[in-house]
Amino acid sequence: IGSTSGPFSSSSSTYSTVSSAVMSPQRSLNALYSRTSKHAGPCLLIIKSGSAVFGAYLSDTLAPAVSAGFSGETDGQLSQSHEVWAGSPSCYLFSATLGLKIPFHARSTMMSTSANKSRHSHEDPFTRHAAFCAQRDELKVGDGDLIIDASLTRGSSQLEQSYGVGVVPGSPEALCLLAGRPTFRVDHLEVWAVIN
């Protein structure tokens, strides 16, 4: 546990490692969620891929959630057809390699599309503005801005969906800013609890 400023944070907070996953056959989102769900509150997700180091500040607990009135469980697994978004506008992506903070702008999220609205007629109005979606098969930060697969070994990024710095959506810059390429291998992943 150490006290310092987090990436792009002016306040001093205490950070504690919640989870660290290097390349191993035992790492998975389920194992990550098992560890991170014990910490109620914000966290830092830090990813290393090649020489790129990047991640996200998430304002809420990193754990799968279900909405009120929906059990979400089917034979012990979270339903894949239902997404529950979390987070607030204080969430952001960052590139430690480039020294860049990528703010949440909420211009687009998966839940704001008309197809998703019809599938989820019981959606909470806040859902359209939420910043991340922790599911059993993937972790989505924004609407494709950063996605990590269930094995914690692969990811993809396409900025300017829900987070951005003003580059053209779909451009090489939007696709390659975080990891240097649109799809990437996750060499190392850590989650740090933020204790204010």
Side-chain angles (χ1 to χ4, degrees), residues 12-35:
S12 181
S13 297
T14 301
Y15 295 84
S16 175
T17 306
V18 176
S19 180
S20 181
V22 291
M23 293 299 288
S24 81
Q26 292 83 16
R27 71 181 189 174
S28 71
L29 265 178
N30 284 337
L32 177 78
Y33 294 152
S34 174
R35 290 186 291 276

Side-chain angles (χ1 to χ4, degrees), residues 13-81:
S13 297
T14 301
Y15 295 84
S16 175
T17 306
V18 176
S19 180
S20 181
V22 291
M23 293 299 288
S24 81
Q26 292 83 16
R27 71 181 189 174
S28 71
L29 265 178
N30 284 337
L32 177 78
Y33 294 152
S34 174
R35 290 186 291 276
T36 59
S37 64
K38 295 172 184 154
H39 165 73
C43 64
L44 283 174
L45 171 70
I46 302 170
I47 299 164
K48 184 172 188 319
S49 178
S51 62
V53 178
F54 54 94
Y57 168 80
L58 305 175
S59 62
D60 291 342
T61 302
L62 181 56
V66 293
S67 64
F70 178 76
S71 72
E73 294 292 326
T74 307
D75 297 329
Q77 293 295 317
L78 187 69
S79 169
Q80 300 301 317
S81 64

